[in-house]
Amino acid sequence: MGMNERSSVRNTPIEPAKSVETSDWLAELASSLDLVTRVTTRLRPDGLIEVVVSGLVVGYVEHVAPIFVALAGDRPGVAIEVAQRRTLRAAVDALRSHSDGRA
């Protein structure tokens, strides 16, 4: 009882711990936002996912379980396979890279 209330309260702010999970989540979010702002996708009636970059069709993604196949070209009949990825996002990113000439 010899301790008063003022001496038991600390005035130092508590900083939230920065975990690897938080920074990974933020990096993933930033990457996803970057992808969304540059790429448009649309599910076609034939089941292909059309990928448009800057208003131009750059290719299609076909889901062949368990992978996503990235097909580059402006028409499905002449599109060529450029990548196989485990996620849709990675397949779309492969098409975007291919259309930028980075693949």
Side-chain angles (χ1 to χ4, degrees), residues 10-71:
R10 297 184 112 172
N11 289 330
T12 54
I14 299 172
E15 301 262 340
K18 292 184 180 179
S19 69
V20 173
E21 295 171 356
T22 301
S23 63
D24 288 348
W25 179 81
L26 289 174
E28 180 71 22
L29 177 61
S31 178
S32 294
L33 288 173
D34 181 49
L35 182 63
V36 169
T37 58
R38 295 182 186 188
V39 176
T40 304
T41 58
R42 175 180 75 93
L43 181 60
R44 295 166 35 102
D46 60 5
L48 293 175
I49 300 165
E50 183 178 82
V51 180
V52 178
V53 176
S54 301
L56 299 172
V57 175
V58 297
Y60 304 88
V61 175
E62 181 177 11
H63 184 236
V64 182
I67 61 169
F68 293 88
V69 180
L71 306 164

